[in-house]
Amino acid sequence: MSTPATQVQLTEAELKLLQTLVYQECGMFFDERRVHFLQDRLQRRLKACGLDTFYSYYRLLTSREGKTELAALVENLTVNETSFFRNKPQLDLFHKTILEEILHRKQQRRDFSVRMWSAGCSTGPEPYTMAMLICDALAYYYLRNPLPFGDMPSPKPLIPPPWRVEILASDISYSVLRAAQEGIYPENHLEPVEYTYRLRYFDKVGDRYAIKKGVKDLVHFDFHNLKTEFLPQRNDVIFCRNVMIYFDEAEQKRLIDKFYRCLNPEGFLLIGHAESLFGLTDKFKMIHQNNGTVYQRIEVPA
Ligand SMILES: C[S@@+](CC[C@H](N)C(=O)[O-])C[C@H]1O[C@@H](n2cnc3c(N)ncnc32)[C@H](O)[C@@H]1O
């Protein structure tokens, strides 16, 4: 393995050790196509720690004192690319068909709570897009299916009572969670956001756009590592888009099984455009309409 003069030699054995450690920690798998990225980030972290061999870095990571550095390494390995209204055909299907079905089913059962989870939320555009879409879908649903709940509070709330909406947004990176929580974006990030949504759900702050408080209040941000077993339960919908592409097949299968358990009966799973459940599970059925795809939990008769 050739290394520039300023770089510390990383042996095959050290690379294997570190690759395995990262995989065990967060599920990210670096195959031949992505191993250069891993090597580059390892060199940076080694330098930041002032160490001179990768074996000593590995020893640090596996020591009790190394927990913070392990988190920093994982953080440096994440790819946080995201955008508002990403994968429009899928979101149209979600907005017009899936949400309508969920609201109808819930109202019939007189359960007025909707719980959604953005797993791997990055800097927030995904959960905030989910929030804007449910506000819209619920307002339209309510118009056609008003409930005898007494007087509507004034000003009219984004979520008409007695409906309750809870969106959990999680990530393994604390820095993206901080940015997401702030919810302020430069103008160029707003390009995919239609003007009607900009007007309703954003405030202009200087030359940036801030998510309105009412939308922000629907989203709760938290740290969750998808590699662990203890994940948020009782979701009606899970978005986990463009996260599984960084996992190998075994880890993808484990994650899909966990998502199955984290969903309510007949709940929905939305994955990325370049991802598929094909060959990974038979516990979900695919719903495909106008180029949009979502998956629904299949219920096994008791
Ligand atoms: C490419 S971004 C996708 C963001 C968003 N879901 C979207 O599609 O626009 C992938 C996100 O997954 C997060 N991630 C990667 N591995 C994770 C893990 N084991 N647990 C939780 N989040 C993880 C990364 O930190 C990153 O923010």
Side-chain angles (χ1 to χ4, degrees), residues 25-28 74-75 77-84 86 118-123 125-127 170-173 176 224-228 239-247 272:
E25 181 63 19
C26 67
M28 275 191 270
V74 167
E75 174 120 22
L77 291 172
T78 59
V79 175
N80 308 121
E81 189 188 329
T82 187
S83 59
F84 286 101
R86 191 174 191 180
S118 162
C121 65
S122 189
T123 51
E126 180 175 277
S170 69
D171 205 281
I172 200 173
S173 157
V176 296
H224 281 288
N225 179 355
L226 295 171
K227 176 82 187 177
T228 64
F239 275 57
C240 184
R241 306 189 304 168
N242 311 298
V243 180
M244 282 196 301
I245 29 169
Y246 302 107
F247 297 177

Side-chain angles (χ1 to χ4, degrees), residues 12-165:
E12 287 291 347
E14 287 166 335
L15 178 61
K16 195 108 222 117
L17 277 177
L18 289 159
Q19 230 167 359
T20 308
L21 183 65
V22 167
Y23 179 66
Q24 285 167 346
E25 181 63 19
C26 67
M28 275 191 270
F29 180 73
F30 292 86
D31 59 15
E32 314 81 66
R33 287 171 303 132
R34 297 188 66 237
V35 76
H36 281 100
F37 178 71
L38 174 63
Q39 286 166 334
D40 174 69
R41 297 304 150 105
L42 286 170
Q43 289 285 354
R44 290 191 204 185
R45 292 312 307 162
L46 187 83
K47 206 166 163 202
C49 293
L51 294 171
D52 51 13
T53 69
F54 280 101
Y55 188 61
S56 51
Y57 184 58
Y58 173 77
R59 296 274 304 270
L60 169 68
L61 292 177
T62 48
S63 69
R64 195 193 292 258
E65 306 74 52
K67 289 267 169 262
T68 318
E69 177 50 31
L70 185 54
L73 172 63
V74 167
E75 174 120 22
N76 271 267
L77 291 172
T78 59
V79 175
N80 308 121
E81 189 188 329
T82 187
S83 59
F84 286 101
F85 293 90
R86 191 174 191 180
N87 192 350
K88 194 75 175 42
Q90 182 190 46
L91 293 178
D92 283 344
L93 171 59
F94 172 66
H95 185 195
K96 309 226 169 80
T97 309
I98 305 302
L99 281 176
E100 179 79 14
E101 182 185 322
I102 293 173
L103 296 174
H104 179 71
R105 196 197 314 145
K106 293 240 162 193
Q107 181 156 340
Q108 277 189 329
R109 293 180 192 158
R110 309 204 62 70
D111 164 12
F112 297 105
S113 67
V114 181
R115 193 174 144 85
M116 306 199 283
W117 175 26
S118 162
C121 65
S122 189
T123 51
E126 180 175 277
Y128 290 133
T129 299
M130 293 159 72
M132 291 185 262
L133 290 175
I134 183 118
C135 286
D136 245 40
L138 196 46
Y140 183 52
Y141 183 83
Y142 195 84
L143 199 66
R144 290 165 293 138
N145 304 276
L147 289 160
F149 184 72
D151 289 339
M152 178 65 78
S154 175
K156 213 161 112 191
L158 281 177
I159 303 297
W163 287 97
R164 286 186 317 278
V165 170

